[in-house]
Amino acid sequence: ACSHAASMTNNLFHAQVIAQAYDEAHRPCDGLPVLKKTMGQEDVNNVSPIFSVGRLEVTCGDMENAETHLRAVVRLREEDLRSNGWEDKPPKADSKPDTYENMTKLNLSEARQNLSSLLTLRKRNAEALNLCRSALGADLKRCTCRFKLQDGVACDFSLIE
């Protein structure tokens, strides 16, 4: 039923529901083509679908495409910050998304952490550490992994020099 519905949809919401159904059936990678088909253009108002595709690509082991999509998420978050004239600096540890500026900085920090996680998995530790620094400043112990990975691969992002 999922594959039949997937072939008929160009709607992002329906694609996300179908991808979730595949995930619940323990076949998340089968939902990836559906999400890719409905991902849309790379712009500031379309970050969520791009991230969903990138996250699922990591889960499915498609690291090269995942890196492309996660870099796009970081670039779009940076673009959003710059377009509002806000300073690009890590959010404070106790920052709350109580203003659009704080929410934007938190979203950018999370995007950088996600890309840093992927780069660590790809053994590009120097770039990962620099990204984590730009995401969190000196508080590197807060780097986290937001991916569910296959084949017993675990994320450990307590980057310490």
Side-chain angles (χ1 to χ4, degrees):
C2 285
S3 61
H4 180 66
S7 69
M8 296 171 32
T9 189
N10 286 319
N11 179 287
L12 177 61
F13 174 75
H14 295 146
Q16 289 173 327
V17 170
I18 291 166
Q20 181 65 35
Y22 275 121
D23 191 39
E24 290 173 5
H26 306 290
R27 296 175 36 210
C29 297
D30 290 343
L32 184 57
V34 182
L35 283 179
K36 277 185 169 183
K37 182 171 90 170
T38 59
M39 181 173 64
Q41 294 184 346
E42 289 184 10
D43 68 35
V44 172
N45 296 320
N46 196 41
V47 173
S48 184
I50 298 167
F51 174 71
S52 294
V53 168
R55 183 185 62 202
L56 192 52
E57 287 168 335
V58 171
T59 300
C60 300
D62 186 358
M63 301 305 188
E64 192 169 316
N65 283 323
E67 183 176 337
T68 299
H69 288 118
L70 294 179
R71 283 187 187 282
V73 170
V74 169
R75 188 184 73 253
L76 292 169
R77 296 286 188 203
E78 288 170 340
E79 190 178 300
D80 192 19
L81 194 73
R82 277 192 307 274
S83 71
N84 286 292
W86 296 323
E87 187 178 359
D88 186 354
K89 63 180 183 179
K92 294 183 170 99
D94 59 350
S95 267
K96 293 177 177 43
D98 54 355
T99 66
Y100 187 66
E101 180 179 3
N102 284 348
M103 184 178 72
T104 301
K105 287 181 178 183
L106 288 167
N107 287 338
L108 175 56
S109 176
E110 183 177 275
R112 286 174 170 161
Q113 288 178 68
N114 286 324
L115 181 55
S116 174
S117 299
L118 175 64
L119 293 172
T120 301
L121 289 172
R122 298 191 79 188
K123 309 288 189 231
R124 296 189 8 225
N125 296 330
E127 187 180 359
L129 181 60
N130 286 335
L131 260 171
C132 199
R133 274 195 181 119
S134 66
L136 299 171
D139 194 8
L140 297 180
K141 289 177 270 189
R142 291 191 299 133
C143 267
T144 60
C145 178
R146 299 203 183 274
F147 304 119
K148 295 187 296 184
L149 299 167
Q150 301 189 129
D151 303 324
V153 177
C155 293
D156 179 14
F157 299 101
S158 52
L159 298 172
I160 299 172
E161 290 184 88

